[in-house]
């Protein structure tokens, strides 16, 4: 008899998990592919015109939080992507996550920030709104922060607890705060 790894993100769950996913798919997603899994404690706060689209075989782990707020938020997540536990994804404009992306726990992805002018208190300043683009086959380590106006290239690896403030090229391995490229993934064979 084959053993089932109940702790794996690949575990699609039982009847209750399927019902939770079906409800959240209907309630929050503009479009969703096959085999979506949304864990029970994942939270969604969306304005009425928000767009949240995911591909096939996407898993959104426990306590992840999606906030899509004014003025025109759109979040797209490609096929075979895993959003780890306690992630925060906050969009006012556009966040795009590619196919085959693994996002560790406690990651934050944010497409906006506060204004920084000196003549007005920060709490009174309007948000500066940008975008985030994450390519295919990317691995983002636990605790990383991906800030606005950043593109992470195909095949890149972002180290745990890194803060990404600038573009990361294809197949780069970037670590630190701010994240810097330390080497590139190599092709074997």
């Amino acid at each position: 008899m084959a053993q089932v790894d109940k702790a794996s993100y690949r575990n699609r769950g039982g009847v209750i998990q399927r019902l939770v996913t079906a409800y959240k798919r209907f309630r929050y997603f503009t479009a969703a592919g096959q085999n979506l899994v949304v864990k029970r404690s994942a939270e969604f706060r969306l304005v009425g015109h928000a767009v949240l689209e995911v591909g096939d075989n996407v898993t959104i782990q426990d306590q992840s939080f999606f906030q899509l707020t004014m003025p025109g938020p759109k979040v797209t997540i490609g096929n075979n992507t895993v959003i780890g536990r306690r992630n925060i994804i906050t969009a006012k404009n556009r966040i795009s996550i590619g196919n085959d992306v693994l996002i560790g726990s406690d990651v934050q992805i944010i497409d906006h920030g506060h204004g920084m002018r000196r003549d007005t208190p920060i709490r009174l300043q309007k948000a500066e709104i940008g975008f985030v683009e994450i390519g295919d086959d990317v691995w983002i380590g636990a605790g990383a922060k991906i800030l606005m106006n950043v593109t992470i290239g195909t095949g890149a690896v972002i180290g745990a607890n890194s803060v990404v403030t600038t573009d990361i090229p294809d197949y780069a391995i970037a670590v630190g705060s701010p994240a810097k490229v330390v080497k590139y993934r190599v092709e074997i064979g």
Side-chain angles (χ1 to χ4, degrees), residues 1-15 17-18 37 39-40 59 61-62 85:
M1 182 172 160
Q3 286 188 314
V4 175
D5 182 358
K6 292 183 180 181
S8 173
Y9 67 82
R10 292 181 181 92
N11 181 5
R12 298 287 170 202
V15 172
Q17 177 58 62
R18 289 192 296 274
V37 173
K39 297 296 185 170
R40 189 178 322 187
T59 300
Q61 289 286 8
D62 284 313
R85 294 183 193 322

Side-chain angles (χ1 to χ4, degrees), residues 49-175:
H49 61 279
V51 175
L52 178 55
E53 301 175 341
V54 299
D56 295 334
N57 305 311
V58 170
T59 300
I60 298 172
Q61 289 286 8
D62 284 313
Q63 298 174 335
S64 289
F65 178 71
F66 286 72
Q67 182 179 30
L68 282 68
T69 185
M70 302 295 251
K74 180 176 184 178
V75 173
T76 58
I77 301 171
N79 299 326
N80 308 310
T81 292
V82 176
I83 308 296
R85 294 183 193 322
R86 295 178 306 277
N87 276 233
I88 297 173
I89 296 176
T90 305
K92 287 182 176 288
N93 181 30
R94 179 174 50 90
I95 296 174
S96 174
I97 301 171
N99 298 314
D100 302 301
V101 175
L102 295 178
I103 301 177
S105 61
D106 301 300
V107 170
Q108 294 182 22
I109 302 172
I110 305 165
D111 74 350
H112 59 279
H114 283 284
M116 302 291 261
R117 294 189 343 260
R118 290 177 62 173
D119 62 340
T120 305
I122 288 177
R123 70 177 180 80
L124 299 177
Q125 294 183 39
K126 291 187 177 183
E128 295 178 356
I129 300 172
F131 66 92
V132 173
E133 291 183 14
I134 299 171
D136 296 338
D137 187 31
V138 170
W139 177 20
I140 301 175
K145 312 294 185 257
I146 314 300
L147 303 182
M148 70 178 195
N149 297 330
V150 165
T151 298
I152 298 176
T154 297
V157 176
I158 307 300
N161 296 311
S162 295
V163 178
V164 180
T165 60
T166 60
D167 292 351
I168 304 297
D170 292 352
Y171 301 101
I173 300 171
V175 300

Side-chain angles (χ1 to χ4, degrees), residues 22-50:
Y23 169 75
K24 290 188 178 191
R25 171 196 294 252
F26 173 76
R27 177 88 166 83
Y28 300 113
F29 292 83
T30 311
Q34 297 181 24
N35 299 319
L36 171 66
V37 173
V38 181
K39 297 296 185 170
R40 189 178 322 187
S41 61
E43 263 188 85
F44 299 86
R45 305 264 169 90
L46 285 66
V47 293
H49 61 279

